[in-house]
Amino acid sequence: MGKKAKKSKKKSNWTPPKGALAYFNPSSDDEFKAEHPIGYFFLVLLGITALLMPVIIFMYYYIVYIMPVTDSPAWMILGWIGSFIIGIGFFNFVGIIIKQYLGHLVSILSFLLGGIMVALSLWLM
C-alpha cells in the first residue's frame, strides 16, 4: 500500500541540545567562519552589542539619574551584574544564526533573573 512517511522526532528548543558544552569551545564556530568570513565579523559585532547593550543602558541610567541623587555603589553592582545577565539572554538569540542556540529556558531565566536583579538594585538605591 505504499511507503509510510518517516515521522521525524520533534526537536525541543526549550532545553540546551545535547553536546551544547562544545559551543563554548573557540573552534565551535569555525565552519560558519569559513563559509561567511565577512558575515562572521558582523555576527561578532552583533553578539558583543547584544551582550553589552543592557549594561550600557543601565550604566547610563545610573550615571544620569541615580548618581546625582544618591551614592549607593553596592546596589549599582547588583544592577550591573543583572544587566549583564540580561545581555546573556540576548546573546543567546545571536547563537541562533550559527545554530548554537542554548534553548528558551536559558533566555527566559536570563531575562527573569537579570530583570529581578536590576529592578531590585534600582528599588534599593
Side-chain angles (χ1 to χ4, degrees), residues 49-61 79-87:
T49 302
L51 187 64
L52 296 181
M53 191 54 68
V55 175
I56 292 168
I57 292 170
F58 176 79
M59 290 307 296
Y60 171 79
Y61 182 82
W80 187 92
I81 293 170
S83 59
F84 188 79
I85 291 172
I86 291 171

Side-chain angles (χ1 to χ4, degrees), residues 31-107:
E31 182 180 328
F32 185 86
K33 191 187 316 182
E35 290 178 17
H36 311 283
I38 296 171
Y40 183 76
F41 170 76
F42 288 109
L43 181 70
V44 169
L45 287 179
L46 179 65
I48 291 170
T49 302
L51 187 64
L52 296 181
M53 191 54 68
V55 175
I56 292 168
I57 292 170
F58 176 79
M59 290 307 296
Y60 171 79
Y61 182 82
Y62 176 77
I63 290 168
V64 171
Y65 296 105
I66 303 295
M67 211 158 98
V69 178
T70 183
D71 185 35
S72 54
W75 299 118
M76 184 273 303
I77 293 170
L78 179 67
W80 187 92
I81 293 170
S83 59
F84 188 79
I85 291 172
I86 291 171
I88 292 171
F90 285 127
F91 187 82
N92 191 31
F93 291 140
V94 176
I96 292 172
I97 298 169
I98 55 176
K99 297 178 179 38
Q100 293 185 359
Y101 184 58
L102 293 176
H104 302 327
L105 285 178
V106 171
S107 293

